[in-house]
Amino acid sequence: TVQLLANIELPEDIAHAKAGGAGGVGLYRTEFLYMNRASMPDEEEHLAAYLDVVRGLDGIPVTIRTLDLGGDKQVDGGAPVPCPPACNPALGLRAIRLCLRQPDLFLPQLRAILRASAQGPVRIMLPMLCNVEEILATRRIIEQSKQELRREGLPFDDDIPVGGMIEVPAAALAAASFARHLDFFSIGTNDLVQYTLAIDRVDDEVNYLYDPLHPAVLKLIRMVVETGRTQEIPVGMCGEMAGDPRYVRLLLGMGLRELSMQPNSLLEVKAV
Ligand code: PEP
Ligand code: MG
């Protein structure tokens, strides 16, 4: 069976996801919590945003992606997150790198995701992984957060799945070693295409080179799907490619069975 899931960027997007018949949320982007404000959101604010979605989905699963700031996702306005200026932001201290560098940023989010998991099926997804040590370091922080919550008597799902986005060529190439430490993969083609073809996704001058069908990209996708099969871990796709009706047959033929997309694409993809 093929699972069609929704990508959401705000809690209110679940209405569209449900209208499109999504089987769950495959990517809940959480950067909105940091946009246009002068202070950092606290744990309770994170929790409220996650519970809105968990309760709204009424038993169907949500995959919450940890903060993916930096690179193309800069905070405007008050910029509460100290994101050091980088010569090349796409290759800089972004996403999981930033979170591991700044535990005060990461801990409230992880605690809130864990607490939300007591109320319905929740998965954690880590963006921009490039080596196994990042996974191990994150798992240690998750473990530490669980211990704190236990001490405080706050409930959570002890078996919460922790997955990783495959959006850097290194992650696709090393997927077999990543698989030993993750519960699922989700291929982020927006970034995977950018990093494989060395084209900045926000630079209009090189837009013409952006090609999800480039043989190098297809080869990496194929490798990840194959690794998922041999290592028995589920593989989904949540980049824009997954919601493009032109690519659905190809992706199914390559062995993908879980596609997560903007709610607007669900009906058209389902028709294919
Ligand atoms: C991706 O890179 O494919 C992805 C889904 O993440 P984002 O577009 O938020 O970087
Ligand atoms: Mg990405």
Side-chain angles (χ1 to χ4, degrees):
T1 59
V2 179
Q3 278 264 68
L4 300 187
L5 309 177
N7 294 351
I8 64 169
E9 307 202 344
L10 293 170
E12 14 326 355
D13 295 340
I14 57 170
H16 295 125
K18 285 161 79 174
V25 168
L27 166 63
Y28 182 5
R29 292 183 169 100
T30 56
E31 291 74 46
F32 74 96
L33 284 161
Y34 293 80
M35 300 293 174
N36 302 310
R37 54 183 294 161
S39 63
M40 300 242 270
D42 62 14
E43 180 177 326
E44 297 303 320
E45 253 179 281
H46 278 281
L47 182 61
Y50 305 152
L51 284 181
D52 267 358
V53 171
V54 170
R55 294 194 178 126
L57 288 176
D58 203 18
I60 64 173
V62 54
T63 303
I64 303 178
R65 181 176 71 185
T66 60
L67 247 197
D68 189 22
L69 287 178
D72 59 305
K73 301 177 194 72
Q74 297 294 334
V75 276
D76 17 11
V81 184
C83 238
C87 305
N88 193 335
L91 303 181
L93 191 66
R94 54 166 299 204
I96 193 71
R97 304 169 180 183
L98 182 66
C99 287
L100 288 172
R101 179 71 66 86
Q102 295 188 27
D104 54 325
L105 195 62
F106 209 9
L107 281 167
Q109 175 166 49
L110 290 175
R111 282 178 52 102
I113 298 175
L114 285 166
R115 289 174 64 188
S117 73
Q119 309 287 323
V122 171
R123 309 196 298 176
I124 301 179
M125 183 157 77
L126 312 175
M128 275 293 292
L129 294 169
C130 81
N131 67 34
V132 167
E133 181 47 40
E134 291 168 334
I135 306 171
L136 299 179
T138 304
R139 284 206 172 266
R140 285 194 292 271
I141 301 177
I142 293 172
E143 214 35 61
Q144 177 195 327
S145 303
K146 285 182 176 179
Q147 273 169 21
E148 279 174 22
L149 294 174
R150 259 182 225 114
R151 270 199 301 275
E152 295 163 31
L154 295 168
F156 59 89
D157 171 12
D158 206 9
D159 297 321
I160 188 168
V162 179
M165 291 192 68
I166 305 295
E167 25 186 15
V168 176
L173 294 163
S177 35
F178 282 32
R180 286 198 283 277
H181 307 285
L182 291 171
D183 301 309
F184 62 93
F185 289 151
S186 187
I187 304 174
T189 49
N190 306 340
D191 277 307
L192 187 62
V193 172
Q194 151 168 275
Y195 292 119
T196 303
L197 304 182
I199 38 169
D200 191 332
R201 62 194 261 193
V202 297
D203 184 343
D204 291 339
E205 297 298 333
V206 288
N207 235 339
Y208 72 100
L209 291 169
Y210 196 92
D211 180 15
L213 298 183
H214 190 293
V217 174
L218 295 181
K219 215 168 200 173
L220 290 172
I221 294 171
R222 179 70 199 144
M223 284 180 64
V224 178
V225 172
E226 195 49 32
T227 302
R229 203 179 56 76
T230 54
Q231 309 268 321
E232 296 182 354
I233 96 165
V235 180
M237 177 179 283
C238 65
E240 293 300 315
M241 186 180 190
D244 189 323
R246 293 172 300 172
Y247 305 144
V248 174
R249 290 177 184 82
L250 171 67
L251 295 176
L252 296 181
M254 290 174 80
L256 279 159
R257 291 295 179 270
E258 187 195 290
L259 304 175
S260 193
M261 63 202 74
Q262 289 181 28
N264 285 344
S265 304
L266 283 163
L267 291 178
E268 218 183 331
V269 169
K270 186 182 273 182
V272 176

